Amino acid sequence: MRINPHDAYLLHRRKYRETSAILDILSVEHGLTSVLLKGAYGKQTKNRRPVPEPFQQLYLCWTCKADLPTVTHIEPNAPYERLNGMARYCGMYVNELIM
């Protein structure tokens, strides 16, 4: 099953194996979902995908062939502004409530 591109927010990311990452995202259409981003870490190659930052708005799509969906397209949907100070703590608290 292929999920069409839509907006989502990255809540949490963690490394998976050598070059991949598991992203916990929140979207209007699918709610809280974990997806696999292959090729996120490792050598600098033309196929390497950018690793998104927490609290970043994304435009992505994925396919569901196994238990963990795999990202097929990902790009930032808005300019990323890093949260600092109290805003960062509030973001982390909201993440915990959602998770």
Side-chain angles (χ1 to χ4, degrees), residues 81-93:
E81 294 183 25
R82 184 177 216 93
L83 298 179
N84 294 318
M86 187 58 80
R88 187 166 187 88
Y89 288 118
C90 290
M92 290 171 25
Y93 181 68

Side-chain angles (χ1 to χ4, degrees), residues 62-97:
W62 64 80
T63 58
C64 298
K65 293 182 181 176
D67 292 338
L68 191 61
T70 304
V71 174
T72 56
H73 178 77
I74 186 170
E75 65 184 59
N77 197 9
Y80 177 65
E81 294 183 25
R82 184 177 216 93
L83 298 179
N84 294 318
M86 187 58 80
R88 187 166 187 88
Y89 288 118
C90 290
M92 290 171 25
Y93 181 68
V94 169
N95 272 358
E96 289 299 317
L97 291 175

Side-chain angles (χ1 to χ4, degrees), residues 14-22 36-42 68:
R14 59 191 174 276
K15 237 179 158 178
Y16 179 73
R17 298 198 179 167
E18 301 225 355
T19 61
S20 301
I22 296 177
L36 179 65
L37 178 64
K38 292 184 177 180
Y41 301 102
L68 191 61

Side-chain angles (χ1 to χ4, degrees), residues 7-34:
D7 294 329
Y9 283 95
L10 176 63
L11 299 177
H12 187 260
R13 71 170 187 215
R14 59 191 174 276
K15 237 179 158 178
Y16 179 73
R17 298 198 179 167
E18 301 225 355
T19 61
S20 301
I22 296 177
L23 308 177
D24 295 323
I25 59 168
L26 181 66
S27 70
V28 174
E29 294 89 1
H30 302 284
L32 182 62
T33 308
S34 293

